[in-house]
Amino acid sequence: RFCHVTIIFFVFRSSVNFFITMSDALEQAKQAIPAEIRMISGCQDKQTSADVSNVASFSLPDPAGRAGGALTSALLNVTYADHQNSGKDLTYQETLLAVREQLKAKGFEQIPQLSSSRPMEMKTHFDFVPEGSTGTRRAVMIGINYVGQQGELRGCHNDVLNMKEYIMDVHGFPEENIEVLMDDGTHTSPTYENIIAAFARIVAASQSGDVVFTHYSGHGGKMKDQDGDEKDGYDETLIPLDYQTAGQIRDDTLFK
C-alpha cells in the first residue's frame, strides 16, 4: 500500500553542544551519521499525508499552482509569517506546533513529525540554515505526480516549486545549486536511478560546514525488512516514477 508523503531534510554541522557527556548511543550515531540531520515528515508512520486541492487557503505569497501537499503548504505559511515578523523568532517547538494546529484547523488528521540524528534543544531558533553558516548551500528537490499512472497525485510539482522559491528567497540557496527532479517533461525524470544519482552527487559535493536541503513529495510505502534492522519488520520506502520496473527505494539504500 502506498501513501502520499512529504519529507524535508536539512543537514548541517551544529556549532552548539547541549550535552556535557556523550552516551555510547550518541557516539555510535555520530560514527554512523557524521552530519547533523533534521527531518520533518508529513505524518506519523501509520498515517497518510494529504493533498490540498487549493493552496490559496494557506495564504502563500506566490503559489506555483492550486494543488499542493498539506505539510508543505502549512510549513511555508508558518515560516513565511515568521520571516516577515520582525519580532521574536519561532523555535523548533513553536514551528512544529503551529504547523500541527494549522492542519488540524483545516480538518487534516495527519500529525507532522520532527526527527534528528543528534539530541537537539527544541526551544532553539527554527531555521533551515544555522546562524553564522558560511558553507555552500545545496539542495535536491523531488516531486512526483505519477502522471498517467494509477495513484496519480496533483500537488507534488507545486510543492517543489513553492519550496524552491522559499529557500532561494529566504535562505539564500543559489538556483544553480538546486537540483530538481519532477515528472513534468522538463526537469530530470525522478526515476530510481536518477534519484539515487542525485543524492550521491550532493553527498559527494558537500563538505563539513555546508548546508544540504532535500525535499521529497510523492508516494511512500513499506516493504518486508531484509536484514533484521527494523523493529516493526518493515523498511520504509520512497516510490520512484518507475517503481513498477525498477522497484522501490528502501531506507537502507538511502542510508548507504
Side-chain angles (χ1 to χ4, degrees):
R1 178 175 176 267
F2 299 160
C3 64
H4 176 202
V5 298
T6 299
I7 306 173
I8 300 168
F9 300 87
F10 32 114
V11 185
F12 49 85
R13 180 180 297 278
S14 175
S15 60
V16 180
N17 183 1
F18 296 98
F19 296 84
I20 298 175
T21 60
M22 296 286 188
S23 67
D24 290 341
L26 180 54
E27 287 293 346
Q28 291 173 8
K30 292 177 70 174
Q31 298 248 344
I33 309 174
E36 180 168 0
I37 300 177
R38 294 176 183 175
M39 178 181 75
I40 299 175
S41 52
C43 58
Q44 296 174 327
D45 288 346
K46 63 183 179 181
Q47 295 180 311
T48 298
S49 187
D51 257 343
V52 178
S53 60
N54 187 357
V55 298
S57 63
F58 286 89
S59 302
L60 302 187
D62 185 22
R66 290 179 60 85
L71 167 64
T72 301
S73 301
L75 180 62
L76 283 173
N77 176 279
V78 170
T79 52
Y80 265 124
D82 184 37
H83 174 66
Q84 293 164 0
N85 185 354
S86 59
K88 178 185 175 183
D89 290 325
L90 293 178
T91 65
Y92 277 91
Q93 181 183 50
E94 290 167 338
T95 301
L96 187 62
L97 291 177
V99 169
R100 288 179 175 181
E101 284 300 317
Q102 192 169 123
L103 291 172
K104 183 179 179 180
K106 293 182 180 297
F108 297 103
E109 296 183 357
Q110 68 191 73
I111 304 175
Q113 305 294 302
L114 172 64
S115 306
S116 175
S117 64
R118 301 285 187 274
M120 59 177 291
E121 174 54 66
M122 290 294 291
K123 293 185 179 180
T124 55
H125 166 55
F126 177 89
D127 207 338
F128 288 168
V129 178
E131 185 176 355
S133 173
T134 59
T136 302
R137 302 174 189 189
R138 301 182 180 87
V140 169
M141 310 189 74
I142 303 166
I144 315 176
N145 278 346
Y146 309 90
V147 178
Q149 298 189 41
Q150 185 177 5
E152 183 173 343
L153 299 172
R154 295 175 296 172
C156 298
H157 296 171
N158 297 332
D159 279 356
V160 167
L161 296 175
N162 286 328
M163 187 61 77
K164 179 186 174 186
E165 180 179 358
Y166 172 75
I167 65 171
M168 289 172 58
D169 291 349
V170 176
H171 296 291
F173 280 75
E175 187 167 20
E176 61 270 21
N177 287 355
I178 301 175
E179 183 170 1
V180 175
L181 293 84
M182 296 197 298
D183 53 337
D184 60 353
T186 300
H187 295 85
T188 300
S189 181
T191 62
Y192 187 112
E193 182 178 346
N194 287 344
I195 291 174
I196 295 298
F199 283 138
R201 279 192 293 273
I202 202 168
V203 168
S206 298
Q207 302 177 9
S208 177
D210 290 349
V211 177
V212 172
F213 179 92
T214 69
H215 177 109
Y216 174 87
S217 287
H219 280 305
K222 61 182 183 179
M223 300 176 68
K224 282 284 189 180
D225 177 31
Q226 295 177 318
D227 55 13
D229 67 337
E230 301 283 356
K231 290 183 179 180
D232 65 355
Y234 289 93
D235 285 330
E236 281 70 46
T237 64
L238 303 181
I239 311 299
L241 181 63
D242 59 344
Y243 72 92
Q244 295 185 55
T245 55
Q248 304 176 40
I249 303 176
R250 294 177 182 267
D251 51 9
D252 290 343
T253 302
L254 294 176
F255 178 75
K256 293 174 183 178

